[in-house]
Amino acid sequence: MSTAPVRLSIVIPVFNEEPNLPTLFARLYPVLDSLGRRYEVIFTNDGSADRSFALLSAQHAARPDVTRVIDFNANYGQHMAIMAAFEKVRGEVVVTLDADLQNPPEEIPKLLALIDAGHDYVGGFRLKRQDSFFRTFASKLINYVRSRTTSIEMTDQGCMLRAYRRPIIDAVVRSGAINTFIPALAYTFASNPGEVGVQHDERLAGVSNYSFYKLIRLNFDLITGFTLAPLQLFTMLALACAGGSFLLVLVLAYRRLFLGAEAEGLFTLFGILFFLLSVCMVGIGLIGEYVGRTYLVVRSRQRYHVREVIEAKE
Ligand code: UDP
Ligand code: MG
């Protein structure tokens, strides 16, 4: 086995990707072999229910010097799967990639070219996105919200084909973040971020692992994880409502004193009351998002549990 330092680590989260893994192996390894730098590939099996883990183990047996497999006992989500691999990377440069071949492995050299040119963070953006209209639209919307509320500037936050210099990865791991969106977190540690357009294909087989619910969770992680803007926006709204209600009280008091009591306005009042109540509920929900996260950090719960790591001894 070579004793040269590992120069490149490829990190791939895997959740029920059994039909895609053979093609992934067949396309990924030749690209990496042709780079002429020592590399490793770290797969995290994120609690797959299919034979993904068996395929990953077989791949480790076939290429033990360059393949490492982390096996989670349960499903902790894509970003935690990536985080577990980040804790173990040995390479000077780290590239993340999806296992479903939506990010063509053939695009990796593009990212590396920008890293070699001096960037410490290279984000891919999908040139022609191959996802459903709903996903693309929701993504655009959240991209807009993010760009307006945080100082994170990226064309396509959802693209997981990205390259990072090692110090950034180490900072991400040290941050101990639990609910997080890795591309955005890493961005906050970058000093010279760059971007490059990459191909995007349709999922080779199977369907997206992101349910509507999981997508909402993820985007809450993105927005609440990096900005207090929603909370501040709510405070502003609450202030405006309080001001409006105060004026209303003044108007009603005036009418009562000088024009006499009126019963017809009762239902308007109900309407206003319900509206204010709904504003309160939204606010409580938002506060809950932050409190929930604080709670998770405070009780310093384990982020995930690794059942087994299969890799060659260094
Ligand atoms: N993934 C994971 N854990 C999950 C969901 C997804 O490790 O709970 C992996 C999945 O195997 C794939 C990547 O994350 O490699 C992206 O997932 P997917 O293709 O389902 O998401 P989409 O492309 O629809 O955003
Ligand atoms: Mg996908």
Side-chain angles (χ1 to χ4, degrees):
M1 209 198 313
S2 161
T3 49
V6 178
R7 291 185 54 204
L8 176 64
S9 296
I10 308 289
V11 165
I12 307 180
V14 176
F15 180 55
N16 294 343
E17 301 286 8
E18 181 182 340
N20 296 325
L21 288 177
T23 317
L24 175 68
F25 299 151
R27 282 174 56 185
L28 176 67
Y29 283 78
V31 172
L32 299 177
D33 287 331
S34 73
L35 290 174
R37 22 184 136 184
R38 193 173 167 210
Y39 69 87
E40 61 175 7
V41 186
I42 310 183
F43 295 97
T44 306
N45 175 39
D46 187 15
S48 299
D50 61 3
R51 288 187 58 255
S52 292
F53 181 65
L55 294 183
L56 294 174
S57 306
Q59 181 63 16
H60 174 258
R63 298 292 304 268
D65 50 330
V66 290
T67 310
R68 304 166 71 191
V69 181
I70 299 171
D71 186 27
F72 277 179
N73 68 317
N75 179 242
Y76 293 90
Q78 180 184 4
H79 291 257
M80 282 302 106
I82 294 173
M83 196 67 101
F86 279 4
E87 287 189 355
K88 298 199 173 292
V89 289
R90 296 174 182 147
E92 293 158 7
V93 174
V94 178
V95 170
T96 57
L97 191 75
D98 283 349
D100 59 0
L101 291 160
Q102 288 200 276
N103 307 135
E106 293 78 17
E107 298 286 67
I108 294 174
K110 269 196 198 171
L111 301 179
L112 296 178
L114 264 86
I115 290 279
D116 292 343
H119 292 285
D120 56 354
Y121 175 111
V122 180
F125 57 88
R126 294 167 282 197
L127 288 171
K128 198 165 175 298
R129 191 164 169 187
Q130 304 290 336
D131 273 318
S132 68
F133 169 76
F134 165 72
R135 283 289 298 270
T136 312
F137 174 77
S139 184
K140 281 213 174 93
L141 183 74
I142 212 76
N143 226 25
Y144 175 78
V145 174
R146 190 220 63 243
S147 70
R148 294 302 298 267
T149 58
T150 72
S151 55
I152 299 168
E153 279 168 34
M154 51 176 81
T155 311
D156 184 5
Q157 65 204 3
C159 182
M160 291 309 287
L161 185 54
R162 283 167 193 276
Y164 313 87
R165 280 201 169 274
R166 179 63 175 280
I168 293 188
I169 297 305
D170 292 341
V172 167
V173 170
R174 269 197 310 274
S175 77
I178 291 180
N179 289 295
T180 200
F181 195 86
I182 285 171
L185 180 62
Y187 184 93
T188 62
F189 299 123
S191 39
N192 184 13
E195 282 198 313
V196 63
V198 291
Q199 291 298 321
H200 190 241
D201 294 332
E202 281 188 36
R203 192 171 232 288
L204 186 69
V207 290
S208 169
N209 290 307
Y210 276 96
S211 60
F212 185 59
Y213 171 74
K214 264 190 173 177
L215 271 183
I216 290 190
R217 297 286 344 139
L218 185 68
N219 285 303
F220 256 121
D221 285 345
L222 174 66
I223 299 302
T224 59
F226 297 93
T227 171
L228 290 178
L231 204 54
Q232 285 154 354
L233 207 71
F234 176 75
T235 316
M236 304 286 182
L237 188 70
L239 280 177
C241 286
S245 321
F246 183 65
L247 277 183
L248 187 70
V249 169
L250 285 186
V251 170
L252 290 176
Y254 172 82
R255 289 189 62 115
R256 182 71 194 257
L257 287 178
F258 299 102
L259 305 174
E262 43 113 12
E264 293 91 339
L266 199 61
F267 291 104
T268 331
L269 210 60
F270 263 117
I272 294 169
L273 205 69
F274 287 161
F275 173 69
L276 286 182
L277 209 66
S278 65
V279 170
C280 286
M281 282 160 62
V282 171
I284 292 168
L286 264 178
I287 293 169
E289 285 289 333
Y290 290 101
V291 174
R293 279 164 177 72
T294 316
Y295 172 64
L296 282 176
V297 174
V298 168
R299 71 176 177 177
S300 66
R301 193 183 130 168
Q302 229 185 330
R303 288 187 286 179
Y304 40 75
H305 176 69
V306 173
R307 192 157 50 186
E308 189 185 356
V309 178
I310 352 183
E311 61 185 9
K313 294 275 169 293
E314 216 188 2

